[in-house]
Amino acid sequence: MLGVTRLNPNADLEKLDLIDLLSERHNLVRKISEKAWNDQSEISISNSEWYIMSKIYKKQPTISHVNRNVEISRQAIHKFIKQLSAKGLVAVDNVENNKKDKCIRLTGLGEECFEKNEALKKQLEDRIMEAVGEERFAVLKDVLKQDWKI
């Protein structure tokens, strides 16, 4: 079972602005999520690698499409794709009628790992919902889904 660890007790959350509060919570849940996976699997996968895997799950985008749709540098994306390929989680294939671009897809192992990680994240979501209550959890998700017009 995933535990929701607390923020650093020295952190004075009352004095943080919205941006820093979002950052604190994001870092906390990402750290818990990554640890949950790495504690139960022999295949270590970083948050950046999960991010790329989420963009290609059940799709076969080109690498250039991934480059345009993630907030990671092109060089880093290529590095992560090489690492994922070395772990047997993704396959890189030629694009028909295009000698320059390559498409990327999750392998069977990659899909299996991705789906197991989704279940772990769901457990973490459930723990957060228990802590804040179902109604507030639903409101939080709704607010985060809204267009903030920024």
Side-chain angles (χ1 to χ4, degrees), residues 6-16 21 24:
R6 306 242 185 267
L7 290 173
N8 180 345
N10 297 329
D12 190 356
L13 298 179
E14 296 300 319
K15 294 182 180 178
L16 294 179
L21 282 169
E24 287 285 335

Side-chain angles (χ1 to χ4, degrees), residues 67-80:
N67 282 329
R68 288 188 302 271
N69 291 288
V70 297
E71 297 295 323
I72 302 174
S73 73
R74 190 178 71 76
Q75 294 85 354
I77 289 169
H78 283 277
K79 179 182 120 185
F80 291 130

Side-chain angles (χ1 to χ4, degrees), residues 40-136:
Q40 64 91 46
S41 176
E42 293 179 11
I43 302 172
S44 180
I45 303 173
S46 72
N47 283 318
S48 296
E49 290 170 325
W50 285 121
Y51 181 48
I52 290 171
M53 290 173 69
S54 75
K55 297 297 183 182
I56 63 175
Y57 180 69
K58 298 289 185 188
K59 301 174 193 148
Q60 291 189 24
T62 61
I63 292 175
S64 60
H65 181 267
V66 173
N67 282 329
R68 288 188 302 271
N69 291 288
V70 297
E71 297 295 323
I72 302 174
S73 73
R74 190 178 71 76
Q75 294 85 354
I77 289 169
H78 283 277
K79 179 182 120 185
F80 291 130
I81 289 171
K82 279 186 178 183
Q83 291 170 342
L84 289 167
S85 180
K87 295 174 188 180
L89 301 172
V90 301
V92 179
D93 302 312
N94 291 324
V95 174
E96 207 172 302
N97 300 323
N98 184 337
K99 293 181 182 181
K100 187 176 174 185
D101 215 353
K102 307 273 187 208
C103 69
I104 182 169
R105 63 178 169 78
L106 292 180
T107 62
L109 176 61
E111 286 197 8
E112 180 182 334
C113 290
F114 186 82
E115 290 164 1
K116 284 181 181 177
N117 191 56
E118 288 297 297
L120 290 172
K121 290 191 320 185
K122 176 70 171 99
Q123 288 178 15
L124 179 55
E125 274 194 12
D126 290 346
R127 296 288 304 202
I128 294 168
M129 186 170 42
E130 283 178 31
V132 302
E134 276 186 57
E135 188 175 316
R136 292 171 78 189

